[in-house]
Amino acid sequence: MDLQWMAWTGPTAIFFVVIACLLLIFTFLAIRSPETPRVGVLRIETTRGDRLFITLLGSAFINAGWLAMSGLPQWWALGICALYAAAVFRWV
Amino acid sequence: MDKVQNNKAWFLVLPVLVLVAFSAVIPLMTVVNYAVQDTFGNNVFFWHGLGWFEDVLTDSRVHGALGRQLMFSGIILAIQIPLGIAIALCMPKRGFWASVCLVLMALPLLIPWNVVGTIWQILGRTDIGLLGYVLSGLGIEWNYARNAVHAWVIVVVMDVWHWTSLVALLAYAGLQSIPQAYYQAAKIDQASRWKVFRYIELPKMQGVLLIAVLLRFMDSFMIYTEPFVVTGGGPGSATSFLSIDLVKMALGQFDLGPAAAFSLMYFLVILLVSWVFYTVMTNLDKQEGK
């Protein structure tokens, strides 16, 4: 299969593989141990999947904000995203 | 007896999954790939890292387009939502004239975007258009091709003309679903017209109005054809909204990398807003269900 037209690069491939793996893991978790939604600090009902979505969307904005304003290495933003993810999964 | 869980029905979703993969996911992946590379054509790409994102995020041109876009969406929501509610309140509730009103209200919604653009482009001209002719007859130096304020006025009025009907129809549907008992109770309590609106009609319309706001926000945030036909984004870049600027960048200048980074940021904003609206709406439904 010729995928040259999609202009793949190593980093973008890793990016999508990580997201695909996350989706697979969370699907597997949802089948293995289904959960009831809970209400957190946002006062909305969330499941694990919702919290993953909030984490990914928020991480995109954290990275964009970091890139626009900090001028420091982008890897640090990833660290902030990890903290943010932990907070989302704990309190949201 | 325990309920049997069978998840095999999920396989029925597969065709939609394939369709969405080809129409949305794969193109989006390609856009992500474009956003980190540079090209001079011939399908040859060079790694550029996050450079385009940095450019887009700090570009005053993009900031300007975003500002204009938010202003446009804000203005049309501020006009269309109250106007739509007002029209819905004035429409007859039943009988022959209710049908006539519904058909008349639906007419602008049936006209394709580019035709709406052409209608208003001609209507606003001082030589052959009725609106432009009347305005210049009144002594106003009307020229939407040169005056930024005039260009904004015509684009906003055009959108209001095209889409207020949608808000009105949604609000009308919401009003029709209120049981008569509420009005009777209000009458017994001698509630004023304003109080009936504030405490009965408005709360009962909350759900449909939220849908109206979501639809109008998303549509206006992605608007392209109408302002493109009427003003072409001008004068200068006075009415260059996000999508007009994006198309200029992607197809006019063929800057695939910056345009890809731009469209991803655009996509993120839309994703965020859609998620907020979706969450608010589903929570509202749950509250009403309780």
Side-chain angles (χ1 to χ4, degrees):
Chain A
M1 196 162 54
D2 185 16
L3 285 178
Q4 217 199 339
W5 64 274
M6 282 181 82
W8 279 104
T9 65
T12 50
I14 293 170
F15 172 75
F16 282 115
V17 166
V18 168
I19 291 191
C21 286
L22 278 173
L23 290 178
L24 283 177
I25 291 169
F26 275 76
T27 309
F28 180 72
L29 272 178
I31 295 169
R32 222 15 227 285
S33 57
E35 45 148 18
T36 44
R38 70 161 195 231
V39 177
V41 284
L42 288 181
R43 302 255 138 257
I44 52 167
E45 271 190 1
T46 54
T47 60
R48 270 190 298 249
D50 293 327
R51 292 194 281 278
L52 176 70
F53 180 77
I54 296 169
T55 303
L56 290 177
L57 189 61
S59 301
F61 279 99
I62 290 172
N63 271 292
W66 188 267
L67 189 65
M69 285 182 279
S70 76
L72 296 166
Q74 198 62 27
W75 292 109
W76 298 15
L78 211 57
I80 297 176
C81 288
L83 289 177
Y84 169 71
V88 167
F89 275 91
R90 175 69 188 78
W91 287 299
V92 172
Chain B
M1 203 179 91
D2 279 342
K3 211 164 112 186
V4 181
Q5 281 275 351
N6 189 346
N7 280 327
K8 283 206 181 94
W10 282 105
F11 285 115
L12 295 175
V13 184
L14 268 181
V16 171
L17 216 63
V18 173
L19 200 71
V20 172
F22 276 97
S23 68
V25 180
I26 292 175
L28 193 68
M29 283 173 150
T30 314
V31 169
V32 174
N33 291 340
Y34 284 172
V36 292
Q37 297 177 90
D38 197 3
T39 182
F40 300 104
N42 274 341
N43 219 9
V44 180
F45 290 89
F46 307 93
W47 176 253
H48 192 62
L50 294 172
W52 296 133
F53 285 97
E54 211 170 344
D55 287 356
V56 164
L57 286 167
T58 52
D59 189 2
S60 57
R61 173 181 160 183
V62 176
H63 290 175
L66 179 66
R68 283 189 291 276
Q69 184 71 71
L70 289 171
M71 194 159 95
F72 176 73
S73 293
I75 291 174
I76 64 116
L77 280 180
I79 298 174
Q80 289 179 7
I81 300 295
L83 188 61
I85 296 173
I87 292 172
L89 287 172
C90 294
M91 277 164 69
K93 293 267 183 287
R94 60 186 70 81
F96 171 73
W97 288 109
S99 315
V100 172
C101 279
L102 283 175
V103 171
L104 284 178
M105 294 300 293
L107 273 181
L109 302 174
L110 300 174
I111 304 175
W113 286 267
N114 49 354
V115 178
V116 171
T118 313
I119 289 173
W120 283 86
Q121 202 238 17
I122 294 170
L123 195 68
R125 281 174 60 166
T126 46
D127 50 352
I128 53 169
L130 192 61
L131 178 71
Y133 186 78
V134 170
L135 285 174
S136 59
L138 289 171
I140 299 166
E141 272 190 42
W142 174 258
N143 190 339
Y144 66 83
R146 264 192 294 153
N147 187 318
V149 176
H150 295 175
W152 266 84
V153 168
I154 200 154
V155 170
V156 167
V157 172
M158 173 176 62
D159 199 81
V160 168
W161 177 82
H162 196 182
W163 290 109
T164 304
S165 308
L166 179 75
V167 182
L169 290 177
L170 282 169
Y172 185 72
L175 280 175
Q176 292 288 62
S177 69
I178 303 173
Q180 275 300 317
Y182 285 88
Y183 292 109
Q184 285 160 2
K187 217 168 210 172
I188 292 167
D189 289 343
Q190 292 192 321
S192 63
R193 182 70 192 88
W194 165 251
K195 285 203 165 145
V196 170
F197 174 70
R198 173 68 188 78
Y199 295 105
I200 298 175
E201 290 171 336
L202 204 55
K204 285 282 168 193
M205 281 195 290
Q206 202 181 12
V208 282
L209 284 182
L210 208 66
I211 295 172
V213 171
L214 171 67
L215 285 176
R216 285 314 304 131
F217 178 81
M218 298 312 296
D219 259 358
S220 64
F221 208 72
M222 298 189 289
I223 194 166
Y224 176 77
T225 318
E226 293 146 296
F228 180 75
V229 173
V230 177
T231 63
S237 58
T239 52
S240 282
F241 302 123
L242 282 175
S243 58
I244 292 181
D245 221 26
L246 180 60
V247 171
K248 264 187 208 165
M249 204 184 263
L251 303 178
Q253 300 156 221
F254 208 70
D255 280 336
L256 282 190
F262 186 174
S263 54
L264 285 176
M265 300 320 295
Y266 195 178
F267 172 68
L268 276 181
V269 173
I270 288 181
L271 200 59
L272 176 72
V273 175
S274 308
W275 176 77
V276 169
F277 274 114
Y278 173 77
T279 311
V280 170
M281 251 152 62
T282 45
N283 276 279
L284 209 71
D285 285 348
K286 272 176 202 154
Q287 273 171 13
E288 275 177 7
K290 268 176 193 164

